Amino acid sequence: MIRFGVIGVDHRHIYHLIDGLLQAGAQCAGYLASASDAKVLEGVRSRFPQLRGVEDAAVLLEDPSIDLIVTAAIPSQRAGIAVQAMRHGKDVLADKPGVTDRAQLQQVQAAVRETGRRFAICFSERMIVPCVATARRLIAQGAIGDVVQTLGMGPHRLNAAIRPDWFFDISTYGGILVDIASHQIDQFLVLTGSSDAEIVHAAVGHVGHAGHATPPSFQDFGEVALRSRTNAARGYVRVDWFTPEGLPTWGDGRLFITGTEGSIELRKYLDIEGRSGTDHLFLCDRQGTRHIDCRDEPITFFQELVADVRDRTETALSHEHVFKVCSLALDADERARQGAAR
């Protein structure tokens, strides 16, 4: 049985990382019972009362029975935790972003080469969203021909009053394109079948929120345009922190996929004036248009990752893909900053 330990419970994404691994049959050996956000730590305790909290990360790092370290620490700390874990003989699963600057990416890449351990990032807006899995299956079946373009939108609710201080510090969260847009960059590469791409435009901004004193360095809007280096596909990404309070979920995540013979629209988290529930897919092809409820589409990421740890394979995702997404997100961030400086 694969055993995992948790170091870094600073972001709520840790809930689905732990739950996904448990559902996949892995066993949790414990979690480091400290966090920058006490509410998240309490959430782990209440959701997983059967799990053991430990006071020292060394307890988990030095346990030879642990195969995998999982982290949703403060984003700028995730790479350091990953490198330390790999040097202790553990594989790593990190929440996105796994790195927040170029030096961290190089350190993680070097640790992978030196240790032979695996480093994976959960890009949750693809990996745990059933309608994206359905879209991948339909594209593989030729439902819309060759993918020409993806348009991904990742709006989020700010919830400023409950955010920890690091959330607003660009040195710790890494910038909106590194943080949020990594999801859409991942989806662009996967859905277009691209192994490489280039950033042709990137911009970020601080618009500000009425009633919330967010610092000027906090990026609440970002956009990216991509071009595949391996086929003719292009992509556009828009991310922001402007989800209104009236929306009944944290963001109206949407993805449009244009193909040579049809199109797919995903409404991941809600259909704002229509059908109830999540995971709505709208397909338009030569036969007409139709809605597909994707909530029963199997999610296989965690099962595949557990098998990868056990069998030393790269089924869930490859290092090449992980590092390419990270590099492109950093490229976009650097291009946006250069544009802002002109």
Side-chain angles (χ1 to χ4, degrees):
M1 177 180 291
I2 297 301
R3 282 168 55 82
F4 69 95
V6 181
I7 301 176
V9 293
D10 298 277
H11 195 290
R12 286 171 173 78
H13 285 174
I14 197 62
Y15 306 151
H16 65 240
L17 297 181
I18 293 173
D19 185 61
L21 288 168
L22 293 175
Q23 292 293 328
Q27 182 182 73
C28 183
Y31 61 92
L32 182 62
S34 64
S36 61
D37 189 336
K39 295 184 292 294
V40 180
L41 179 58
E42 180 54 37
V44 170
R45 288 173 172 152
S46 63
R47 286 169 171 81
F48 309 103
Q50 76 278 22
L51 302 186
R52 174 179 68 123
V54 303
E55 300 303 319
D56 188 346
V59 173
L60 303 174
L61 292 170
E62 296 172 6
D63 184 341
S65 74
I66 292 177
D67 309 283
L68 177 71
I69 293 295
V70 180
T71 184
I74 294 171
S76 61
Q77 298 176 3
R78 293 172 190 174
I81 292 169
V83 169
Q84 191 178 22
M86 287 187 277
R87 289 179 177 159
H88 278 81
K90 319 297 187 189
D91 294 329
V92 176
L93 172 62
D95 182 28
K96 64 82 212 164
V99 303
T100 56
D101 61 39
R102 191 73 59 181
Q104 291 177 15
L105 175 57
Q106 293 169 351
Q107 290 161 11
V108 170
Q109 289 173 313
V112 168
R113 290 193 301 268
E114 293 164 8
T115 67
R117 307 314 301 180
R118 293 194 48 74
F119 174 76
I121 297 175
C122 181
F123 299 107
S124 55
E125 290 190 32
R126 172 173 67 90
M127 293 167 172
I128 66 170
V129 176
C131 64
V132 181
T134 303
R136 288 188 69 186
R137 177 168 54 80
L138 290 171
I139 290 168
Q141 294 169 351
I144 62 170
D146 297 327
V147 175
V148 175
Q149 199 248 13
T150 67
L151 191 163
M153 293 183 284
H156 286 61
R157 179 174 288 125
L158 184 63
N159 288 328
I162 65 170
R163 299 289 186 179
D165 290 343
W166 63 257
F167 177 86
F168 299 101
D169 185 344
I170 197 168
S171 70
T172 50
Y173 78 87
I176 194 170
L177 301 183
V178 171
D179 180 17
I180 302 179
S182 58
H183 283 302
Q184 283 74 27
I185 293 170
D186 162 73
Q187 290 167 76
F188 169 79
L189 293 177
V190 169
L191 296 172
T192 63
S194 300
S195 59
D196 195 6
E198 62 178 321
I199 305 298
V200 296
H201 165 75
V204 295
H206 172 78
V207 178
H209 286 71
H212 299 297
T214 54
S217 62
F218 178 68
Q219 299 167 353
D220 50 23
F221 178 87
E223 62 180 3
V224 181
L226 306 98
R227 178 167 55 215
S228 173
R229 292 185 186 273
T230 53
N231 55 52
R234 293 174 178 262
Y236 174 78
V237 174
R238 192 209 79 207
V239 290
D240 65 69
W241 288 101
F242 296 121
T243 293
E245 294 298 325
L247 198 74
T249 187
W250 56 265
D252 183 14
R254 303 173 72 179
L255 177 62
F256 297 82
I257 308 165
T258 300
T260 53
E261 298 179 26
S263 64
I264 290 171
E265 177 185 351
L266 304 182
R267 301 295 293 262
K268 296 180 180 181
Y269 309 115
L270 79 165
D271 184 359
I272 60 172
E273 285 294 337
R275 301 162 183 85
S276 63
T278 62
D279 294 286
H280 303 276
L281 184 150
F282 302 91
L283 173 64
C284 177
D285 58 16
R286 291 178 177 176
Q287 282 70 51
T289 63
R290 58 190 179 277
H291 169 266
I292 300 174
D293 184 339
C294 305
R295 284 174 288 183
D296 293 331
E297 184 79 23
I299 294 298
T300 61
F301 170 73
F302 292 104
Q303 291 92 335
E304 291 170 353
L305 181 72
V306 167
D308 285 342
V309 172
R310 182 188 65 232
D311 302 332
R312 315 314 300 159
T313 51
E314 287 192 337
T315 302
L317 75 172
S318 68
H319 281 131
E320 180 183 13
H321 177 77
V322 169
F323 294 144
K324 181 56 64 176
V325 174
C326 292
S327 182
L328 286 169
L330 292 167
D331 287 348
D333 176 69
E334 291 161 7
R335 188 180 183 106
R337 293 186 194 221
Q338 290 167 3
R342 286 199 290 269

